[in-house]
Short mmCIF file of all heavy atoms in Angstrom, two decimals:
data_model
loop_
_atom_site.label_atom_id
_atom_site.label_comp_id
_atom_site.label_asym_id
_atom_site.label_seq_id
_atom_site.Cartn_x
_atom_site.Cartn_y
_atom_site.Cartn_z
N MET A 1 65.21 5.58 27.48
CA MET A 1 65.21 6.66 26.49
C MET A 1 63.82 7.30 26.52
O MET A 1 62.81 6.66 26.61
CB MET A 1 65.44 6.07 25.07
CG MET A 1 65.20 7.09 24.01
SD MET A 1 65.55 6.70 22.30
CE MET A 1 65.28 5.01 22.07
N ASN A 2 63.82 8.60 26.49
CA ASN A 2 62.59 9.31 26.42
C ASN A 2 62.80 10.62 25.67
O ASN A 2 63.71 11.39 25.98
CB ASN A 2 62.06 9.64 27.81
CG ASN A 2 60.64 10.12 27.83
OD1 ASN A 2 60.14 10.53 26.77
ND2 ASN A 2 60.00 10.06 28.95
N SER A 3 62.03 10.84 24.60
CA SER A 3 62.16 12.05 23.80
C SER A 3 60.80 12.58 23.54
O SER A 3 60.08 12.10 22.63
CB SER A 3 62.91 11.70 22.49
OG SER A 3 62.88 12.83 21.65
N THR A 4 60.39 13.56 24.29
CA THR A 4 59.10 14.11 24.12
C THR A 4 58.80 14.63 22.70
O THR A 4 57.80 14.33 22.13
CB THR A 4 58.80 15.23 25.13
OG1 THR A 4 59.06 14.69 26.45
CG2 THR A 4 57.41 15.74 25.08
N PRO A 5 59.73 15.41 22.10
CA PRO A 5 59.45 15.92 20.78
C PRO A 5 59.26 14.77 19.72
O PRO A 5 58.45 14.84 18.84
CB PRO A 5 60.65 16.75 20.40
CG PRO A 5 61.21 17.14 21.70
CD PRO A 5 60.95 16.01 22.66
N ALA A 6 60.00 13.69 19.90
CA ALA A 6 59.94 12.58 18.94
C ALA A 6 58.89 11.57 19.39
O ALA A 6 58.52 10.66 18.64
CB ALA A 6 61.28 11.87 18.79
N GLY A 7 58.39 11.71 20.61
CA GLY A 7 57.38 10.79 21.09
C GLY A 7 57.91 9.40 21.38
O GLY A 7 57.21 8.41 21.24
N LEU A 8 59.19 9.29 21.77
CA LEU A 8 59.79 7.99 22.03
C LEU A 8 59.88 7.75 23.52
O LEU A 8 60.09 8.67 24.34
CB LEU A 8 61.20 7.97 21.44
CG LEU A 8 61.31 8.22 19.94
CD1 LEU A 8 62.80 8.26 19.56
CD2 LEU A 8 60.61 7.15 19.19
N SER A 9 59.73 6.49 23.88
CA SER A 9 59.92 6.09 25.29
C SER A 9 60.31 4.62 25.35
O SER A 9 60.20 3.92 24.34
CB SER A 9 58.63 6.35 26.05
OG SER A 9 57.65 5.41 25.69
N LEU A 10 60.71 4.16 26.50
CA LEU A 10 61.07 2.76 26.67
C LEU A 10 59.89 1.86 26.42
O LEU A 10 60.04 0.76 25.89
CB LEU A 10 61.67 2.50 28.04
CG LEU A 10 63.08 3.06 28.24
CD1 LEU A 10 63.54 2.83 29.67
CD2 LEU A 10 64.07 2.40 27.28
N GLY A 11 58.70 2.27 26.82
CA GLY A 11 57.51 1.44 26.61
C GLY A 11 57.29 1.19 25.14
O GLY A 11 56.90 0.09 24.73
N GLU A 12 57.57 2.15 24.30
CA GLU A 12 57.40 1.95 22.87
C GLU A 12 58.43 1.00 22.32
O GLU A 12 58.15 0.22 21.41
CB GLU A 12 57.44 3.28 22.14
CG GLU A 12 56.16 4.11 22.45
CD GLU A 12 56.26 5.55 22.11
OE1 GLU A 12 57.34 6.01 21.72
OE2 GLU A 12 55.23 6.25 22.20
N ALA A 13 59.61 1.00 22.87
CA ALA A 13 60.69 0.05 22.45
C ALA A 13 60.23 -1.39 22.83
O ALA A 13 60.41 -2.31 22.03
CB ALA A 13 62.00 0.42 23.07
N ASP A 14 59.69 -1.53 23.98
CA ASP A 14 59.19 -2.85 24.42
C ASP A 14 58.06 -3.33 23.52
O ASP A 14 58.01 -4.48 23.12
CB ASP A 14 58.71 -2.81 25.87
CG ASP A 14 59.80 -2.62 26.86
OD1 ASP A 14 60.99 -2.90 26.51
OD2 ASP A 14 59.52 -2.21 27.99
N HIS A 15 57.17 -2.43 23.17
CA HIS A 15 56.06 -2.75 22.24
C HIS A 15 56.60 -3.21 20.90
O HIS A 15 56.16 -4.18 20.30
CB HIS A 15 55.12 -1.53 22.08
CG HIS A 15 54.02 -1.79 21.12
ND1 HIS A 15 52.93 -2.57 21.39
CD2 HIS A 15 53.90 -1.34 19.86
CE1 HIS A 15 52.14 -2.57 20.34
NE2 HIS A 15 52.71 -1.89 19.39
N ALA A 16 57.58 -2.48 20.38
CA ALA A 16 58.18 -2.82 19.06
C ALA A 16 58.86 -4.18 19.15
O ALA A 16 58.74 -4.98 18.18
CB ALA A 16 59.17 -1.72 18.66
N LYS A 17 59.51 -4.47 20.26
CA LYS A 17 60.21 -5.75 20.38
C LYS A 17 59.18 -6.90 20.39
O LYS A 17 59.35 -7.88 19.71
CB LYS A 17 61.01 -5.79 21.70
CG LYS A 17 61.72 -7.11 21.91
CD LYS A 17 62.50 -7.11 23.22
CE LYS A 17 63.14 -8.48 23.38
NZ LYS A 17 63.78 -8.59 24.68
N ARG A 18 58.06 -6.71 21.10
CA ARG A 18 57.01 -7.73 21.10
C ARG A 18 56.40 -7.92 19.73
O ARG A 18 56.13 -9.04 19.32
CB ARG A 18 55.97 -7.42 22.17
CG ARG A 18 56.48 -7.66 23.58
CD ARG A 18 55.33 -7.55 24.61
NE ARG A 18 54.55 -6.33 24.54
CZ ARG A 18 54.89 -5.18 25.16
NH1 ARG A 18 55.93 -5.14 25.95
NH2 ARG A 18 54.09 -4.12 25.06
N ALA A 19 56.19 -6.84 19.02
CA ALA A 19 55.60 -6.91 17.68
C ALA A 19 56.54 -7.66 16.75
O ALA A 19 56.15 -8.48 15.95
CB ALA A 19 55.30 -5.51 17.14
N ALA A 20 57.85 -7.39 16.88
CA ALA A 20 58.83 -8.08 16.07
C ALA A 20 58.87 -9.55 16.36
O ALA A 20 58.94 -10.40 15.48
CB ALA A 20 60.22 -7.45 16.26
N GLU A 21 58.75 -9.91 17.66
CA GLU A 21 58.72 -11.32 18.01
C GLU A 21 57.50 -12.02 17.46
O GLU A 21 57.61 -13.14 16.97
CB GLU A 21 58.79 -11.42 19.56
CG GLU A 21 60.14 -11.08 20.10
CD GLU A 21 60.14 -10.90 21.63
OE1 GLU A 21 59.03 -10.86 22.24
OE2 GLU A 21 61.27 -10.76 22.21
N ARG A 22 56.35 -11.36 17.51
CA ARG A 22 55.14 -11.92 16.94
C ARG A 22 55.29 -12.12 15.46
O ARG A 22 54.90 -13.14 14.87
CB ARG A 22 53.90 -11.07 17.24
CG ARG A 22 53.46 -11.21 18.70
CD ARG A 22 52.08 -10.56 18.94
NE ARG A 22 52.09 -9.15 18.64
CZ ARG A 22 52.42 -8.19 19.49
NH1 ARG A 22 52.78 -8.51 20.73
NH2 ARG A 22 52.35 -6.91 19.17
N PHE A 23 55.87 -11.12 14.75
CA PHE A 23 56.08 -11.18 13.32
C PHE A 23 56.97 -12.37 12.99
O PHE A 23 56.67 -13.17 12.10
CB PHE A 23 56.66 -9.89 12.80
CG PHE A 23 57.21 -9.98 11.42
CD1 PHE A 23 56.35 -9.99 10.33
CD2 PHE A 23 58.57 -10.06 11.19
CE1 PHE A 23 56.82 -10.10 9.03
CE2 PHE A 23 59.08 -10.15 9.91
CZ PHE A 23 58.20 -10.18 8.81
N LEU A 24 58.11 -12.46 13.65
CA LEU A 24 59.06 -13.54 13.38
C LEU A 24 58.44 -14.92 13.67
O LEU A 24 58.70 -15.91 12.97
CB LEU A 24 60.34 -13.35 14.14
CG LEU A 24 61.17 -12.16 13.71
CD1 LEU A 24 62.37 -11.94 14.65
CD2 LEU A 24 61.65 -12.31 12.26
N SER A 25 57.62 -14.98 14.68
CA SER A 25 56.94 -16.24 15.01
C SER A 25 55.98 -16.64 13.90
O SER A 25 55.91 -17.83 13.51
CB SER A 25 56.17 -16.06 16.34
OG SER A 25 55.34 -17.17 16.57
N ARG A 26 55.25 -15.68 13.37
CA ARG A 26 54.30 -15.97 12.27
C ARG A 26 55.06 -16.31 10.99
O ARG A 26 54.61 -17.16 10.25
CB ARG A 26 53.38 -14.78 12.01
CG ARG A 26 52.49 -14.40 13.13
CD ARG A 26 51.54 -15.55 13.47
NE ARG A 26 50.75 -15.25 14.65
CZ ARG A 26 51.08 -15.69 15.85
NH1 ARG A 26 52.15 -16.42 16.09
NH2 ARG A 26 50.29 -15.43 16.92
N LEU A 27 56.19 -15.64 10.75
CA LEU A 27 56.96 -15.86 9.53
C LEU A 27 57.61 -17.23 9.55
O LEU A 27 57.60 -17.97 8.57
CB LEU A 27 57.98 -14.76 9.36
CG LEU A 27 58.81 -14.81 8.07
CD1 LEU A 27 57.92 -14.72 6.86
CD2 LEU A 27 59.82 -13.68 8.10
N GLY A 28 58.18 -17.61 10.71
CA GLY A 28 58.76 -18.91 10.85
C GLY A 28 60.11 -19.14 10.16
O GLY A 28 60.62 -20.26 10.12
N THR A 29 60.71 -18.11 9.65
CA THR A 29 62.01 -18.22 9.01
C THR A 29 62.71 -16.88 9.04
O THR A 29 62.11 -15.84 9.43
CB THR A 29 61.87 -18.72 7.57
OG1 THR A 29 63.14 -19.01 7.02
CG2 THR A 29 61.18 -17.72 6.64
N ASN A 30 63.91 -16.80 8.58
CA ASN A 30 64.66 -15.57 8.50
C ASN A 30 64.04 -14.67 7.46
O ASN A 30 63.86 -15.11 6.31
CB ASN A 30 66.12 -15.88 8.13
CG ASN A 30 67.00 -14.65 8.12
OD1 ASN A 30 66.54 -13.53 7.89
ND2 ASN A 30 68.28 -14.86 8.39
N PRO A 31 63.67 -13.47 7.78
CA PRO A 31 63.05 -12.54 6.77
C PRO A 31 63.89 -12.38 5.53
O PRO A 31 63.37 -12.14 4.44
CB PRO A 31 62.88 -11.23 7.52
CG PRO A 31 62.93 -11.58 8.98
CD PRO A 31 63.77 -12.81 9.07
N ARG A 32 65.21 -12.50 5.65
CA ARG A 32 66.07 -12.31 4.49
C ARG A 32 65.93 -13.46 3.47
O ARG A 32 66.25 -13.33 2.31
CB ARG A 32 67.50 -12.18 4.92
CG ARG A 32 67.76 -10.91 5.66
CD ARG A 32 69.17 -10.82 6.11
NE ARG A 32 69.32 -9.62 6.89
CZ ARG A 32 70.48 -8.99 7.10
NH1 ARG A 32 71.58 -9.48 6.58
NH2 ARG A 32 70.53 -7.94 7.85
N ASP A 33 65.43 -14.60 3.98
CA ASP A 33 65.29 -15.80 3.12
C ASP A 33 63.85 -16.03 2.69
O ASP A 33 63.55 -16.87 1.84
CB ASP A 33 65.74 -17.07 3.90
CG ASP A 33 67.23 -16.97 4.28
OD1 ASP A 33 67.99 -16.33 3.52
OD2 ASP A 33 67.57 -17.55 5.30
N ALA A 34 62.91 -15.28 3.25
CA ALA A 34 61.48 -15.52 3.05
C ALA A 34 60.98 -14.85 1.76
O ALA A 34 61.40 -13.76 1.42
CB ALA A 34 60.67 -15.01 4.22
N PRO A 35 60.06 -15.52 1.09
CA PRO A 35 59.42 -14.89 -0.04
C PRO A 35 58.61 -13.69 0.38
O PRO A 35 58.10 -13.68 1.53
CB PRO A 35 58.49 -15.98 -0.63
CG PRO A 35 58.89 -17.24 -0.01
CD PRO A 35 59.60 -16.89 1.26
N VAL A 36 58.46 -12.72 -0.48
CA VAL A 36 57.70 -11.48 -0.15
C VAL A 36 56.28 -11.86 0.30
O VAL A 36 55.77 -11.27 1.26
CB VAL A 36 57.70 -10.51 -1.31
CG1 VAL A 36 56.74 -9.35 -1.05
CG2 VAL A 36 59.08 -10.01 -1.60
N SER A 37 55.65 -12.79 -0.35
CA SER A 37 54.30 -13.19 0.00
C SER A 37 54.19 -13.68 1.41
O SER A 37 53.24 -13.40 2.16
CB SER A 37 53.75 -14.22 -0.94
OG SER A 37 54.56 -15.39 -0.93
N ASP A 38 55.22 -14.40 1.89
CA ASP A 38 55.23 -14.86 3.30
C ASP A 38 55.42 -13.72 4.25
O ASP A 38 54.81 -13.68 5.33
CB ASP A 38 56.35 -15.89 3.52
CG ASP A 38 56.09 -17.23 2.81
OD1 ASP A 38 54.97 -17.38 2.20
OD2 ASP A 38 56.96 -18.11 2.84
N ILE A 39 56.27 -12.79 3.89
CA ILE A 39 56.48 -11.59 4.74
C ILE A 39 55.18 -10.80 4.90
O ILE A 39 54.81 -10.39 5.98
CB ILE A 39 57.63 -10.71 4.17
CG1 ILE A 39 58.97 -11.48 4.33
CG2 ILE A 39 57.68 -9.35 4.88
CD1 ILE A 39 60.12 -10.82 3.59
N LEU A 40 54.53 -10.58 3.75
CA LEU A 40 53.27 -9.84 3.80
C LEU A 40 52.22 -10.59 4.58
O LEU A 40 51.42 -9.96 5.30
CB LEU A 40 52.76 -9.52 2.37
CG LEU A 40 53.71 -8.60 1.55
CD1 LEU A 40 53.20 -8.47 0.15
CD2 LEU A 40 53.85 -7.23 2.22
N GLY A 41 52.17 -11.89 4.48
CA GLY A 41 51.24 -12.67 5.22
C GLY A 41 51.47 -12.57 6.72
O GLY A 41 50.53 -12.46 7.50
N ALA A 42 52.73 -12.61 7.13
CA ALA A 42 53.07 -12.48 8.54
C ALA A 42 52.71 -11.07 9.04
O ALA A 42 52.17 -10.92 10.14
CB ALA A 42 54.54 -12.77 8.77
N GLN A 43 52.95 -10.09 8.26
CA GLN A 43 52.59 -8.72 8.63
C GLN A 43 51.07 -8.58 8.79
O GLN A 43 50.60 -7.96 9.77
CB GLN A 43 53.06 -7.72 7.58
CG GLN A 43 54.56 -7.50 7.60
CD GLN A 43 55.02 -6.54 6.48
OE1 GLN A 43 54.38 -6.46 5.46
NE2 GLN A 43 56.12 -5.91 6.70
N SER A 44 50.35 -9.18 7.90
CA SER A 44 48.89 -9.12 7.98
C SER A 44 48.37 -9.84 9.24
O SER A 44 47.45 -9.38 9.89
CB SER A 44 48.27 -9.76 6.71
OG SER A 44 48.53 -8.95 5.59
N ALA A 45 48.99 -10.97 9.52
CA ALA A 45 48.55 -11.73 10.73
C ALA A 45 48.80 -10.92 12.00
O ALA A 45 47.90 -10.86 12.83
CB ALA A 45 49.32 -13.07 10.79
N VAL A 46 49.93 -10.26 12.08
CA VAL A 46 50.20 -9.43 13.29
C VAL A 46 49.27 -8.26 13.32
O VAL A 46 48.77 -7.91 14.41
CB VAL A 46 51.70 -8.99 13.22
CG1 VAL A 46 51.96 -7.97 14.30
CG2 VAL A 46 52.61 -10.20 13.41
N ALA A 47 48.95 -7.69 12.18
CA ALA A 47 48.01 -6.55 12.18
C ALA A 47 46.61 -6.98 12.60
O ALA A 47 45.95 -6.27 13.40
CB ALA A 47 47.93 -5.93 10.77
N ARG A 48 46.17 -8.17 12.15
CA ARG A 48 44.84 -8.69 12.58
C ARG A 48 44.85 -8.95 14.11
O ARG A 48 43.87 -8.60 14.78
CB ARG A 48 44.51 -9.97 11.82
CG ARG A 48 44.05 -9.74 10.41
CD ARG A 48 43.47 -10.98 9.80
NE ARG A 48 44.40 -12.14 9.84
CZ ARG A 48 45.33 -12.40 8.95
NH1 ARG A 48 45.51 -11.58 7.93
NH2 ARG A 48 46.11 -13.44 9.08
N GLU A 49 45.94 -9.51 14.62
CA GLU A 49 45.98 -9.79 16.06
C GLU A 49 45.98 -8.49 16.87
O GLU A 49 45.29 -8.38 17.86
CB GLU A 49 47.28 -10.58 16.37
CG GLU A 49 47.27 -11.99 15.80
CD GLU A 49 48.62 -12.64 15.82
OE1 GLU A 49 49.55 -12.07 16.41
OE2 GLU A 49 48.75 -13.73 15.23
N ALA A 50 46.74 -7.49 16.40
CA ALA A 50 46.76 -6.18 17.10
C ALA A 50 45.39 -5.54 17.05
O ALA A 50 44.94 -4.99 18.06
CB ALA A 50 47.77 -5.26 16.45
N ALA A 51 44.71 -5.63 15.96
CA ALA A 51 43.36 -5.07 15.86
C ALA A 51 42.40 -5.74 16.83
O ALA A 51 41.60 -5.08 17.48
CB ALA A 51 42.82 -5.19 14.45
N GLY A 52 42.51 -7.03 16.96
CA GLY A 52 41.69 -7.76 17.93
C GLY A 52 41.96 -7.36 19.34
O GLY A 52 41.07 -7.15 20.15
N ARG A 53 43.28 -7.24 19.68
CA ARG A 53 43.61 -6.85 21.03
C ARG A 53 43.16 -5.41 21.36
O ARG A 53 42.87 -5.10 22.50
CB ARG A 53 45.16 -6.90 21.24
CG ARG A 53 45.64 -8.29 21.48
CD ARG A 53 47.09 -8.31 21.97
NE ARG A 53 47.98 -7.49 21.13
CZ ARG A 53 48.50 -7.90 19.97
NH1 ARG A 53 48.21 -9.03 19.45
NH2 ARG A 53 49.33 -7.11 19.30
N LEU A 54 43.10 -4.58 20.33
CA LEU A 54 42.69 -3.18 20.56
C LEU A 54 41.18 -3.03 20.48
O LEU A 54 40.65 -1.95 20.70
CB LEU A 54 43.36 -2.27 19.51
CG LEU A 54 44.87 -2.18 19.62
CD1 LEU A 54 45.43 -1.39 18.43
CD2 LEU A 54 45.25 -1.50 20.93
N GLY A 55 40.45 -4.11 20.17
CA GLY A 55 39.02 -4.06 20.14
C GLY A 55 38.49 -3.38 18.90
O GLY A 55 37.37 -2.86 18.89
N LEU A 56 39.29 -3.36 17.83
CA LEU A 56 38.79 -2.73 16.59
C LEU A 56 37.88 -3.67 15.86
O LEU A 56 38.08 -4.89 15.82
CB LEU A 56 40.01 -2.37 15.71
CG LEU A 56 41.04 -1.42 16.31
CD1 LEU A 56 42.19 -1.24 15.37
CD2 LEU A 56 40.40 -0.08 16.61
N ASN A 57 36.84 -3.14 15.31
CA ASN A 57 35.83 -3.94 14.60
C ASN A 57 36.25 -4.34 13.21
O ASN A 57 35.72 -5.27 12.63
CB ASN A 57 34.49 -3.26 14.56
CG ASN A 57 33.90 -3.11 15.94
OD1 ASN A 57 34.11 -3.98 16.78
ND2 ASN A 57 33.14 -2.07 16.16
N SER A 58 37.12 -3.58 12.59
CA SER A 58 37.51 -3.87 11.22
C SER A 58 38.97 -3.72 11.07
O SER A 58 39.66 -3.02 11.80
CB SER A 58 36.75 -2.96 10.27
OG SER A 58 37.13 -1.63 10.43
N VAL A 59 39.48 -4.36 10.01
CA VAL A 59 40.90 -4.27 9.66
C VAL A 59 40.92 -3.86 8.19
O VAL A 59 40.07 -4.29 7.39
CB VAL A 59 41.58 -5.63 9.84
CG1 VAL A 59 43.03 -5.60 9.37
CG2 VAL A 59 41.52 -6.10 11.28
N HIS A 60 41.86 -3.01 7.83
CA HIS A 60 41.96 -2.57 6.48
C HIS A 60 42.02 -3.77 5.51
O HIS A 60 42.57 -4.78 5.84
CB HIS A 60 43.24 -1.74 6.29
CG HIS A 60 43.32 -1.03 4.98
ND1 HIS A 60 43.87 -1.64 3.88
CD2 HIS A 60 42.85 0.15 4.58
CE1 HIS A 60 43.78 -0.82 2.85
NE2 HIS A 60 43.15 0.27 3.23
N ARG A 61 41.40 -3.64 4.39
CA ARG A 61 41.24 -4.75 3.46
C ARG A 61 42.59 -5.37 3.07
O ARG A 61 42.67 -6.56 2.76
CB ARG A 61 40.47 -4.35 2.23
CG ARG A 61 41.16 -3.37 1.34
CD ARG A 61 40.32 -3.06 0.11
NE ARG A 61 40.90 -1.97 -0.66
CZ ARG A 61 40.67 -0.70 -0.43
NH1 ARG A 61 39.86 -0.29 0.48
NH2 ARG A 61 41.31 0.23 -1.16
N SER A 62 43.68 -4.59 3.11
CA SER A 62 44.97 -5.15 2.74
C SER A 62 45.50 -6.11 3.81
O SER A 62 46.40 -6.86 3.55
CB SER A 62 45.98 -4.00 2.54
OG SER A 62 46.26 -3.35 3.74
N CYS A 63 44.91 -6.08 5.01
CA CYS A 63 45.33 -6.92 6.11
C CYS A 63 44.43 -8.13 6.32
O CYS A 63 44.70 -8.98 7.17
CB CYS A 63 45.44 -6.14 7.40
SG CYS A 63 46.67 -4.86 7.36
N ARG A 64 43.37 -8.23 5.54
CA ARG A 64 42.45 -9.36 5.69
C ARG A 64 43.01 -10.60 5.04
O ARG A 64 43.77 -10.53 4.08
CB ARG A 64 41.10 -9.02 5.06
CG ARG A 64 40.37 -7.93 5.79
CD ARG A 64 39.02 -7.68 5.17
NE ARG A 64 38.48 -6.47 5.81
CZ ARG A 64 37.81 -5.55 5.12
NH1 ARG A 64 37.61 -5.68 3.84
NH2 ARG A 64 37.36 -4.48 5.77
N SER A 65 42.61 -11.72 5.62
CA SER A 65 43.05 -13.01 5.09
C SER A 65 42.51 -13.20 3.69
O SER A 65 41.36 -12.86 3.39
CB SER A 65 42.55 -14.13 5.97
OG SER A 65 42.86 -15.38 5.42
N ARG A 66 43.36 -13.71 2.81
CA ARG A 66 42.94 -13.93 1.45
C ARG A 66 42.35 -15.29 1.27
O ARG A 66 42.01 -15.70 0.20
CB ARG A 66 44.15 -13.74 0.52
CG ARG A 66 44.71 -12.36 0.64
CD ARG A 66 45.66 -12.08 -0.51
NE ARG A 66 46.55 -10.96 -0.35
CZ ARG A 66 46.24 -9.69 -0.19
NH1 ARG A 66 44.98 -9.35 -0.08
NH2 ARG A 66 47.13 -8.76 -0.10
N ALA A 67 42.25 -16.07 2.35
CA ALA A 67 41.71 -17.45 2.30
C ALA A 67 40.23 -17.46 2.10
O ALA A 67 39.52 -16.54 2.33
CB ALA A 67 42.09 -18.20 3.54
#
């Protein structure tokens, strides 16, 4: 699939699949059964990992570990 006006491509689908796999791995359970706090924690973990891979020096405060 490729849609220039929408900015879609197969590479982006692969990226989304890998991000979903990382999220589910961090969550460790079915998202439908997970508490909201666990879902948000998994999202934050994936965001921190992505920021590190992209070489970003900071992550938005909402994605920082609360520990």
Side-chain angles (χ1 to χ4, degrees):
M1 170 175 32
N2 193 342
S3 172
T4 304
L8 302 175
S9 70
L10 287 176
E12 290 164 353
D14 291 339
H15 175 76
K17 180 181 177 186
R18 287 191 306 273
E21 289 168 349
R22 285 191 299 273
F23 167 75
L24 293 173
S25 171
R26 297 298 174 262
L27 184 60
T29 188
N30 184 333
R32 294 179 184 202
D33 299 329
V36 172
S37 60
D38 290 356
I39 292 171
L40 295 175
Q43 288 176 332
S44 293
V46 171
R48 283 190 306 274
E49 292 167 8
R53 281 192 309 281
L54 294 173
L56 300 176
N57 292 330
S58 64
V59 176
H60 190 271
R61 68 179 173 271
S62 67
C63 295
R64 292 184 189 138
S65 174
R66 301 193 196 300

